[in-house]
Amino acid sequence: MASLNVGNLGEYLREQRRNAQLSLRQLADAAGVSNPYLSQIERGLRKPSAEVLQQVAKALRISAETLYVRAGILDAERDLNEVETRAVILADPTLDERQKQVLLQIYESFRKENGFGSGEERASGTGTPAAAEDDADSDVGSGSDDSDDSETGPRRTAG
């Protein structure tokens, strides 16, 4: 069997599982895979399919693309910056799920505006919930102040 950097994938999965405060059994149940199989993936003994990686990513609420790159399924050099940016946003423990999804939408809208949009996030099954889409649509690029008053303070721009 060819060396496919599967150990790095396993280490990364273990780290993400621990960050999510899930046991191996809990993650296996949530992802719909067997506990021994997931253990073998984490130890670098098995190379999971894209479908299994997608199920695990969904259970961990992380980007499937990140797992695809780490497993050697996606070309790492082509999409590494985008994948890493998404992974950092999704792994940030200080943000709630809605905030993460809104940030991802804003990031994707800027990429599309600059000619680099991919749309792969929705195709991977890690798309944005409708509520977050509504929030992002009302906040991004409209320039209007029609959003609800739950936002705290004025928006700031990096500069």
Side-chain angles (χ1 to χ4, degrees):
M1 182 169 144
S3 176
L4 292 169
N5 202 20
V6 182
N8 187 27
L9 170 67
E11 291 169 18
Y12 180 76
L13 281 176
R14 181 178 291 121
E15 180 183 328
Q16 294 303 309
R17 176 177 58 79
R18 288 179 177 162
N19 287 343
Q21 299 179 340
L22 293 172
S23 70
L24 191 65
R25 185 174 307 280
Q26 288 171 321
L27 178 56
D29 288 344
V33 298
S34 75
N35 189 34
Y37 182 59
L38 185 58
S39 175
Q40 290 174 346
I41 294 169
E42 281 194 0
R43 290 181 288 142
L45 303 175
R46 294 282 185 134
K47 180 180 187 286
S49 67
E51 181 179 334
V52 168
L53 288 175
Q54 184 175 350
Q55 291 169 236
V56 171
K58 190 172 184 179
L60 287 171
R61 296 182 178 185
I62 62 174
S63 165
E65 287 87 353
T66 303
L67 298 184
Y68 296 159
V69 168
R70 289 188 180 265
I73 295 172
L74 277 183
D75 179 10
E77 292 181 24
R78 191 191 85 196
D79 293 324
L80 190 58
N81 287 339
E82 178 186 2
V83 170
E84 285 180 347
T85 301
R86 291 178 184 280
V88 167
I89 291 169
L90 290 169
D92 188 332
T94 64
L95 300 174
D96 66 32
E97 191 62 30
R98 185 190 71 83
Q99 292 168 329
K100 291 176 185 180
Q101 295 302 324
V102 170
L103 270 176
L104 287 173
Q105 278 200 326
I106 292 168
Y107 174 67
E108 185 63 28
S109 72
F110 285 142
R111 286 182 51 81
K112 285 179 183 175
E113 184 177 303
N114 294 331
F116 295 100
S118 66
E120 291 175 7
E121 188 72 10
R122 292 180 207 282
S124 72
T126 58
T128 309
E133 283 179 7
D134 292 342
D135 288 344
D137 289 344
S138 67
D139 290 345
V140 177
S142 67
S144 69
D145 205 15
D146 293 353
S147 61
D148 66 3
D149 291 328
S150 66
E151 298 290 328
T152 58
R155 285 183 217 128
R156 295 184 182 148
T157 57

